[in-house]
């Protein structure tokens, strides 16, 4: 059994050993510049928290297996055989000591992709049976949901009907809808689990009279956290197939960093196809509404000092850092930037699936200290984060470090400031549209 796990891990390593991974393993100059870019190192300066040092643990296995000098003189060239104990140690490093935030890569003079190495370690851990059970369970549960959608669909539709009533009360329109399975809709919105990721976007869609429909599935993809491409593909396929079947023009993903990165950037490579629809994050769509003047706001509704946390997967991976600021400057009276921010912002410490693993709570709270200090220095009373995992982590940091802030989504701030048109005016405008079309 012991050898089977190690052998499976090595097989996965060999399959993933492409040019980008080989470059990441070979190119490191051991300069240590990456140290200060890592929130783990900043919170606890130690050699083990230097990104290059973490990656070195896989480089040792790589040298032993693929480098002639490493095979002949392992001690001299830092080569090591993979065994059960080492695999366990590597798994711990990959899942609890790196959030895959990519800040080290952005600050590396050679662009060494250390997160790619950590993802490989995660994939090896999965193959060797060493991955966190919670992440495996959540990924497999999502896959099963995709296999039998009819099993949960009726209950889901009942829940949406209840949310629809809530939406109607908020917007003052008994005709307001949360459509599900609407063929030919312009937008397929993929939410997360929970009404808090459905109601605010529904209010915004209602305000701009968007032609939209809600996905049956949630945006989260725990296969990505596992580094398991096959699982991640199966989870993403549910949404892609749904979008194709409904014939939508674009898929809009909830405020979730890893879900956006998975569907927008990784899925086209996984499936090796150009999809017949656009895919983007809801932050980008809301910014478009704002720029087109489709939404009216009363900024005084958001009068307290507000700061914004850039999700690593939104800012660094997806390049979405201008759009949230377009929105925030439109809806908030007092927006304060963290230092640094944008692509240089520190990770909150809960990414890479870490916030879902209670066994690593102490580690992630400690690693989140630089983010807590960033927030404290702004003097803000509200922290906005366009990512569910970030909000969960920052809420925990709020309690742990006594920050005394409120943590909200971007859509919540938009809805708080939005000026909704009266039902009568909307009806008149719709009548005028119908007349003009004739």
């Amino acid at each position: 059994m012991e050898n089977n796990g190690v052998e499976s891990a090595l097989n996965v390593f060999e399959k993933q050993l492409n040019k980008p991974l080989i470059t990441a393993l070979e190119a490191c100059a051991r300069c240590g510049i990456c140290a200060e870019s890592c929130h783990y190192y900043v919170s606890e300066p130690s050699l083990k928290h230097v990104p290059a040092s973490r990656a070195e643990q896989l480089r040792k296995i790589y040298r032993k297996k693929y480098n002639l000098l490493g095979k002949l003189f392992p001690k001299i060239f830092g080569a090591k055989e993979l065994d059960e104990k080492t695999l366990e140690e590597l798994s711990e490093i990959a899942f609890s000591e790196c959030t895959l935030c990519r800040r080290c890569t952005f600050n590396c003079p050679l662009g060494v992709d250390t997160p790619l190495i950590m993802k490989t370690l995660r994939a090896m851990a999965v193959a060797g049976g060493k991955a966190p059970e919670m992440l495996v369970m959540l990924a497999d549960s999502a896959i099963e949901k995709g296999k039998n959608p009819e099993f949960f669909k009726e209950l889901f539709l009942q829940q949406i009907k209840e949310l629809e009533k809530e939406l109607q009360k908020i917007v003052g329109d008994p005709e307001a809808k949360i459509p599900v399975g609407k063929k030919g809709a312009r937008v397929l919105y993929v939410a997360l689990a929970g009404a808090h990721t459905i109601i605010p976007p529904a209010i915004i869609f209602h305000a701009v009279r968007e032609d939209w429909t809600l996905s049956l599935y949630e945006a989260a993809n725990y296969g990505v956290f596992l580094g398991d491409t096959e699982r991640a593909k199966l989870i993403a396929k549910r949404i892609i197939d749904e979008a194709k079947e409904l014939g939508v023009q674009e898929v809009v993903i909830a405020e979730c960093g890893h879900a956006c990165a998975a569907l927008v950037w990784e899925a086209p490579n996984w499936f090796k196809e150009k999809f017949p629809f656009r895919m983007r994050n809801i932050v980008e769509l809301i910014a478009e509404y704002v720029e087109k003047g489709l939404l009216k706001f009363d900024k005084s509704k958001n009068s307290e000092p507000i700061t914004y946390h850039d999700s690593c997967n939104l800012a660094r991976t997806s390049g979405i850092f201008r759009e949230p600021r377009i929105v925030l400057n439109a809806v908030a009276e007092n927006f304060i930037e963290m230092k640094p921010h944008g692509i240089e912002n520190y990770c909150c410490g809960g990414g890479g699936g870490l916030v879902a693993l209670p066994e690593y709570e102490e580690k992630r709270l400690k690693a989140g200290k630089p983010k807590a200090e960033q927030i404290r220095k702004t003097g803000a009373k509200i922290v906005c984060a366009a990512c569910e995992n970030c909000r969960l982590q920052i809420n925990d940091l709020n309690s742990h470090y006594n920050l005394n802030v409120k943590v909200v989504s971007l859509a919540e701030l938009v809805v708080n400031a939005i000026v909704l048109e009266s039902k009568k005016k909307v009806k008149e405008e719709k009548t005028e549209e119908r007349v003009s079309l004739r």
Side-chain angles (χ1 to χ4, degrees):
M1 186 73 178
E2 180 176 319
N3 290 331
N4 286 342
V6 171
E7 188 178 336
S8 297
L10 287 172
N11 286 339
V12 165
F13 181 35
E14 191 162 341
K15 285 178 184 176
Q16 297 205 4
L17 202 58
N18 54 17
K19 287 183 179 179
L21 181 56
I22 291 171
T23 301
L25 290 166
E26 294 276 10
C28 181
R30 284 79 170 170
C31 63
I33 290 175
C34 58
E36 292 292 342
S37 69
C38 180
H39 53 289
Y40 280 88
Y41 183 87
V42 173
S43 65
E44 184 186 357
S46 168
L47 179 61
K48 70 175 183 177
H49 292 316
V50 177
S53 178
R54 285 197 291 263
E56 183 66 16
Q57 307 315 306
L58 184 58
R59 290 189 180 99
K60 291 177 181 179
I61 309 302
Y62 170 72
R63 293 190 200 106
K64 180 64 179 176
K65 194 168 175 63
Y66 298 101
N67 183 281
L68 179 61
L69 292 174
K71 289 177 181 179
L72 296 174
F73 310 104
K75 287 186 179 180
I76 296 174
F77 290 93
K80 187 176 182 180
E81 198 82 55
L82 182 65
D83 54 28
E84 187 77 7
K85 184 183 177 184
T86 303
L87 180 59
E88 205 159 304
E89 291 169 353
L90 294 180
S91 302
E92 182 80 7
I93 290 170
F95 283 104
S96 74
E97 296 179 14
C98 177
T99 55
L100 310 176
C101 79
R102 301 184 73 230
R103 195 170 191 267
C104 56
T105 298
F106 272 68
N107 286 279
C108 173
L110 299 175
V112 174
D113 197 344
T114 299
L116 178 60
I117 295 174
M118 293 297 109
K119 282 183 180 180
T120 303
L121 284 178
R122 289 185 176 209
M124 290 169 67
V126 171
K130 303 294 182 184
E133 290 182 15
M134 178 63 77
L135 295 184
V136 174
M137 182 189 73
L138 289 168
D140 289 344
S141 175
I143 293 168
E144 286 303 313
K145 191 174 180 181
K147 289 178 182 177
N148 302 292
E150 294 302 320
F151 184 76
F152 72 90
K153 187 176 179 180
E154 187 177 342
L155 176 60
F156 179 74
L157 291 175
Q158 287 175 7
Q159 292 170 335
I160 295 304
K161 279 296 175 189
E162 291 303 311
L163 292 184
E164 198 169 74
K165 292 175 185 176
E166 188 178 335
L167 171 67
Q168 290 166 355
K169 287 180 183 178
I170 294 170
V171 301
D173 184 353
E175 295 176 11
K177 301 292 182 186
I178 300 179
V180 179
K182 180 183 175 184
K183 291 202 172 185
R186 196 186 79 81
V187 168
L188 172 65
Y189 172 60
V190 192
L192 294 166
H196 64 293
T197 69
I198 298 175
I199 291 292
I203 295 169
I204 296 167
F205 291 148
H206 177 80
V208 301
R209 282 171 272 166
E210 182 63 85
D211 180 16
W212 73 291
T213 189
L214 179 67
S215 174
L216 282 172
Y217 307 106
E218 68 289 335
N221 191 326
Y222 288 91
V224 172
F225 293 146
L226 290 169
D228 188 331
T229 302
E230 290 309 308
R231 277 187 170 100
K233 279 177 67 176
L234 288 170
I235 294 169
K237 188 176 186 297
R238 309 168 310 163
I239 297 163
I240 290 164
D241 287 348
E242 183 183 30
K244 287 178 179 177
E245 184 184 344
L246 295 176
V248 299
Q249 293 179 35
E250 67 174 297
V251 174
V252 173
I253 301 135
E255 292 185 46
C256 178
H258 83 272
C260 177
L263 276 171
V264 176
W265 299 107
E266 299 199 55
N269 294 324
W270 293 338
F271 295 96
K272 293 180 171 53
E273 67 172 289
K274 185 176 181 181
F275 302 122
F277 43 79
R278 181 182 186 180
M279 290 197 287
R280 56 175 165 165
N281 190 269
I282 193 168
V283 172
E284 297 171 279
L285 183 57
I286 295 173
E288 184 180 297
Y289 292 154
V290 171
E291 288 189 306
K292 288 182 176 180
L294 299 178
L295 292 167
K296 295 178 182 177
F297 301 110
D298 177 0
K299 293 172 74 168
S300 68
K301 297 291 184 181
N302 293 319
S303 59
E304 289 189 289
I306 296 171
T307 192
Y308 178 73
H309 162 71
D310 287 278
S311 154
C312 303
N313 268 313
L314 289 182
R316 275 189 282 274
T317 303
S318 304
I320 303 171
F321 49 85
R322 185 183 70 90
E323 292 84 352
R325 287 161 175 83
I326 289 172
V327 178
L328 285 164
N329 283 312
V331 304
E333 279 191 334
N334 188 4
F335 170 52
I336 306 165
E337 289 282 19
M338 289 188 198
K339 295 180 182 178
H341 59 266
I343 61 172
E344 281 296 332
N345 202 15
Y346 277 108
C347 177
C348 65
L354 203 62
V355 79
L357 302 173
E359 63 267 37
Y360 296 135
E361 181 181 11
E362 186 178 342
K363 279 190 176 184
R364 69 175 170 84
L365 289 175
K366 191 170 187 177
K369 188 178 179 181
K371 174 55 57 184
E373 291 305 313
Q374 273 190 293
I375 293 169
R376 198 189 304 279
K377 286 176 183 177
T378 65
K381 296 299 180 185
I382 296 174
V383 179
C384 175
C387 176
E388 181 81 346
N389 286 339
C390 294
R391 288 194 294 273
L392 290 170
Q393 168 72 349
I394 294 171
N395 260 318
D396 285 348
L397 295 178
N398 186 28
S399 301
H400 189 71
Y401 292 102
N402 299 312
L403 299 176
N404 194 29
V405 295
K406 181 181 178 183
V407 185
V408 301
S409 69
L410 190 67
E412 284 179 86
L413 289 178
V414 171
V415 167
N416 198 46
I418 206 167
V419 177
L420 293 169
E421 295 181 344
S422 69
K423 182 187 168 188
K424 182 180 177 183
K425 185 175 181 182
V426 170
K427 277 190 172 180
E428 287 173 352
E429 287 181 1
K430 283 184 178 178
T431 303
E432 287 175 9
E433 284 177 8
R434 284 197 293 270
V435 171
S436 64
L437 286 171
R438 290 173 189 167

